[in-house]
Amino acid sequence: MISVSLEWIAEQVEGRLVGSDCKIDKVSTDTRADLQDALFIALKGKNFDAHDFVEQAIAKGAAAVICEKQQDIDCRQIIVENSRHALGRLGAAVKARVAPRTVAVTGSNGKTTVKEMLAAILSIRHPVLATQGNFNNDIGVPLTLLRLEEQHKYAVVELGANHPGEIGYTTNLVKPDVAILNNVSAAHVEGFGSLHGVARAKTEIFRGVGSQGTAVTPRDSEFYPCWERACTNMNWKTFGLTDSSDVFATDITLNGEGHPSFTLHLNGEARQLTLKLSGQHNVLNALSASAAASELGISLDDIVTGLEKVQPAKGRLTTIKVSDHLRIIDDTYNASVASTKAALDLLGSYKGYRIFVLGDMGELGADARAYHEEIGEHAIGSGINNLYSLGVLSQSASEVFNGNGGKHFGSLQSLVDSVLQRLTEQTGKQPVTVLVKGSRSAHMERVVAAIQQAVTVDDSTEEKHAC
């Protein structure tokens, strides 16, 4: 963080400084972090109160604390009405002081991918700050802004939400020059009541964009009229797969690894490129990032160079070659209806025997089972050989697929055993591709690890016997 005084911080967070002034260039909300000379902000939540750890923070070297009541301890303190709001105000103040050109990204799917694409594009010429991990809520966003340094010319900030009003709040902290609403689909429906509730919540991102800012949305969406109304008083760019969009793609093909090649059309220019990411849906993510980068004045050549640099992140449609006859597509980081369908489309593009392993998709509300049945139907249409499910809700998908090779399992080991049996049956006949997908709560990365370990052990045993 930039170096600022405690007096300046107290003014920005509307707090009262107790004790002497000093310089601060590091902020933390976690006593497990390095707190030497840091400002510790004592947050309160439903199940925790960091005020209980103020003494521990000071003992670890914190220079000062922000808290909601004065602590009976000899240390510098800034007393505020609400420490969570103080964190937000401080993040917004640091962002305003550094003043980087900023892009905010939200959407049901692809937020992180678009963020990484933009960071790769913008970092070609200048230092860029981008959201790390899943720091995209009302705590993570201000903590991201507090990482800004004077050298950052650009910032790319991911905004997530699980309830109405959250994106509106974080957008007002970020005040982006460009706001991307990447898409709306059935994700976190439980917290918004319906798919239209999701759309309304995501549209909050445009509230923090000034009249000189730009909104970026997909052209081909049922919610297009909603965004048309929301973006009336600002510059507005669309992306899609037809020339009715401002930024669009043509000539889309997938290579043997599922990586898309396409022609990018932007501002009357066109360039051919190939992504290192898998799946045709990543073409739309690339178009979204391209539209935003262009609004920041980035050339088409730099946009293409940046897009072609982006590597897949672990657990996000990562292709793992386990052996000569087995490929695993690890898409276990998270799952929504749209992202699961996109992963199935990719699986369906591979030749050979195709197995889909599905864990529960979480936070889908009252229609959760119907959404899982929809996935079972999509799997049938994608030409999948087997759909194996693990979890209470995912059973609805395998039941729809039943008769086509669908089966539900009560344990991880029984599922893995069945996959290995299919693999053995197909050895020497055709390659096998296994897609593993599920929400974070399903912990489907365990399936990936178990299959890898079992196949590695088998291969090692075969080598020993051959000796």
Side-chain angles (χ1 to χ4, degrees), residues 102-116:
T102 306
V103 182
V105 185
T106 195
S108 298
N109 311 109
K111 295 185 294 294
T112 299
T113 300
V114 171
K115 175 202 69 180
E116 293 299 326

Side-chain angles (χ1 to χ4, degrees), residues 254-260 276-280 317-321 326-330 342-355 382-385 430-435:
L254 296 180
N255 63 19
E257 292 301 314
H259 300 165
K276 293 183 175 68
L277 308 179
S278 299
Q280 183 169 320
L317 278 183
T318 306
T319 301
I320 305 168
K321 184 179 179 182
L326 174 62
R327 175 197 293 114
I328 297 177
I329 303 173
D330 180 0
L344 276 170
D345 292 341
L346 174 63
L347 177 60
S349 71
Y350 286 105
K351 296 180 180 180
Y353 202 87
R354 294 162 293 202
I355 300 173
S382 299
I384 309 306
N385 297 96
Q430 56 185 331
V432 180
T433 303
V434 181
L435 166 65

Side-chain angles (χ1 to χ4, degrees), residues 130-354:
T131 299
Q132 292 179 338
N134 60 352
F135 276 53
N136 62 12
N137 62 7
D138 64 328
I139 295 176
V141 169
L143 286 174
T144 295
L145 297 177
L146 289 172
R147 291 172 41 230
L148 281 165
E149 302 281 358
E150 294 291 355
Q151 72 267 22
H152 289 126
K153 301 302 180 185
Y154 295 104
V156 185
V157 185
E158 181 180 326
L159 307 183
N162 56 24
H163 62 268
E166 188 170 7
I167 289 177
Y169 172 72
T170 52
T171 303
N172 278 315
L173 303 181
V174 175
K175 296 193 182 304
D177 299 285
V178 182
I180 298 175
L181 202 171
N182 204 41
N183 49 49
V184 169
S185 66
H188 304 293
V189 176
E190 192 172 48
F192 301 103
S194 67
L195 189 58
H196 282 81
V198 174
R200 284 192 296 273
K202 299 299 183 184
T203 306
E204 293 173 11
I205 194 172
F206 302 131
R207 296 179 187 173
V209 182
S211 58
Q212 302 302 310
T214 299
V216 175
T217 70
R219 178 66 179 84
D220 304 317
S221 169
E222 64 178 293
F223 298 105
Y224 179 83
C226 173
W227 300 327
E228 191 172 28
R229 292 190 297 272
C231 301
T232 301
N233 297 319
M234 67 184 74
N235 188 28
W236 180 30
K237 296 294 181 181
T238 62
F239 62 91
L241 301 182
T242 64
D243 60 8
S244 61
S245 304
D246 296 305
V247 182
F248 62 97
T250 59
D251 311 313
I252 302 172
T253 59
L254 296 180
N255 63 19
E257 292 301 314
H259 300 165
S261 296
F262 61 99
T263 301
L264 170 62
H265 298 264
L266 175 65
N267 297 332
E269 298 183 86
R271 294 286 190 282
Q272 180 75 19
L273 69 147
T274 300
L275 300 178
K276 293 183 175 68
L277 308 179
S278 299
Q280 183 169 320
H281 65 287
N282 274 314
V283 174
L284 286 171
N285 289 332
L287 295 176
S288 174
S290 299
S294 176
E295 289 303 301
L296 295 177
I298 308 302
S299 70
L300 182 54
D301 287 341
D302 280 359
I303 289 173
V304 170
T305 299
L307 289 174
E308 292 191 322
K309 286 170 51 179
V310 179
Q311 300 285 342
K314 183 179 180 181
R316 297 179 185 272
L317 278 183
T318 306
T319 301
I320 305 168
K321 184 179 179 182
V322 181
S323 67
D324 290 339
H325 52 273
L326 174 62
R327 175 197 293 114
I328 297 177
I329 303 173
D330 180 0
D331 201 22
T332 59
Y333 182 80
N334 217 335
S336 65
V337 176
S339 68
T340 303
K341 287 182 177 180
L344 276 170
D345 292 341
L346 174 63
L347 177 60
S349 71
Y350 286 105
K351 296 180 180 180
Y353 202 87
R354 294 162 293 202

Side-chain angles (χ1 to χ4, degrees), residues 446-464:
R446 299 174 303 162
V447 176
V448 175
I451 295 173
Q452 285 183 279
Q453 183 178 16
V455 173
T456 301
V457 169
D458 286 346
D459 287 348
S460 175
T461 301
E462 289 176 6
E463 289 173 5
K464 289 180 180 179

Side-chain angles (χ1 to χ4, degrees), residues 16-18 65 67 69-71 73 75-79:
R16 174 172 60 90
L17 175 61
V18 176
V65 297
C67 46
K69 55 186 177 181
Q70 188 166 341
Q71 303 296 296
I73 181 175
C75 68
R76 300 180 184 91
Q77 304 175 42
I78 296 176
I79 314 304

